[in-house]
């Protein structure tokens, strides 16, 4: 269980982590600026196991892999949205950040709600109401459990 951070439509990667912070040498140094222009309270309030719930086209904009990397470093358990920008989706899986499509939940949750995500069964639950989400296939769950595609491939070498 984790709390919800709710964001709207077309959240771009520059809102997740602004380009000026890409010059920092590590993700740990970058993460303190996550959502800085969109939600200045995010970094003060986020805890490991929390969730991002968003409207359509989350992660649009540039293809920077640092966007899902800082979310992972902040402890975000998953990003749940109506839809994702394709490159953000792929970068997230590569880095081990679950990205879950759930078309109904956005309109029924608010910031701070407690959320339970069951990726195996394909639902998210808030206030006792279950919302149907994409069910993560077993092979993808294995990749995510290993820390992402990159970590999975490194283990094979």
């Amino acid at each position: 269980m984790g709390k919800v951070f709710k964001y709207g439509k077309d959240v771009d990667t520059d809102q997740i982590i602004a380009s000026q912070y890409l010059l920092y040498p590590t993700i740990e140094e970058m993460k303190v600026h996550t959502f800085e222009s969109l939600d200045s309270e995010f970094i003060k309030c986020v805890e490991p196991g929390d969730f991002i719930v968003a409207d359509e086209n989350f992660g649009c904009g540039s293809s920077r892999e640092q966007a899902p990397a800082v979310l992972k470093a902040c402890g975000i358990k998953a990003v749940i949205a109506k839809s994702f920008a394709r490159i953000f989706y792929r970068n997230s899986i590569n880095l081990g950040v679950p990205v879950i499509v759930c078309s109904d939940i956005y309109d029924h949750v608010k910031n701070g709600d407690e959320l339970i995500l069951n990726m195996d069964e394909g639902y998210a639950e808030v206030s006792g109401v279950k919302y149907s989400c994409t069910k993560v296939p077993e092979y993808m769950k294995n990749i995510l459990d290993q820390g992402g595609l990159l970590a999975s491939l490194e283990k094979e070498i």
Side-chain angles (χ1 to χ4, degrees):
M1 184 181 301
K3 70 179 168 295
V4 168
F5 288 87
K6 184 178 177 181
Y7 300 108
K9 201 179 279 190
D10 300 321
V11 173
D12 67 46
T13 54
D14 203 47
Q15 291 173 301
I16 299 169
I17 185 68
S19 60
Q20 69 259 31
Y21 302 119
L22 302 180
L23 299 174
Y24 288 14
T26 68
I27 293 298
E28 286 299 310
E29 291 172 89
M30 286 181 217
K31 81 176 186 182
V32 299
H33 301 284
T34 304
F35 288 120
E36 188 174 82
S37 67
L38 187 64
D39 179 0
S40 61
E41 296 298 307
F42 174 81
I43 202 63
K44 297 174 194 167
C45 300
V46 69
E47 297 176 359
D50 286 344
F51 297 92
I52 302 294
V53 175
D55 203 337
E56 298 172 350
N57 201 28
F58 187 87
C60 60
S62 69
S63 62
R64 64 182 65 144
E65 65 186 34
Q66 293 90 342
V70 295
L71 295 178
K72 182 176 183 176
C74 287
I76 292 298
K77 184 168 178 120
V79 181
I80 303 167
K82 288 183 180 181
S83 65
F84 293 91
R86 204 174 308 181
I87 193 72
F88 179 86
Y89 186 91
R90 286 200 343 230
N91 282 338
S92 296
I93 298 302
N94 288 347
L95 296 173
V97 178
V99 280
I100 308 295
V101 175
C102 188
S103 59
D104 297 328
I105 197 168
Y106 178 80
D107 297 323
H108 302 283
V109 299
K110 60 186 182 314
N111 274 322
D113 280 351
E114 292 291 326
L115 184 142
I116 298 168
L117 177 64
N118 188 320
M119 290 190 291
D120 294 332
E121 298 295 323
Y123 70 84
E125 182 178 335
V126 177
S127 301
V129 179
K130 290 183 180 180
Y131 300 91
S132 180
C133 301
T134 53
K135 189 174 176 182
V136 177
E138 190 64 31
Y139 75 91
M140 191 179 291
K141 187 174 179 319
N142 290 336
I143 289 170
L144 291 169
D145 288 345
Q146 293 179 62
L149 182 61
L150 298 177
S152 172
L153 293 173
E154 286 175 2
K155 290 178 182 175
E156 291 183 19
I157 296 176

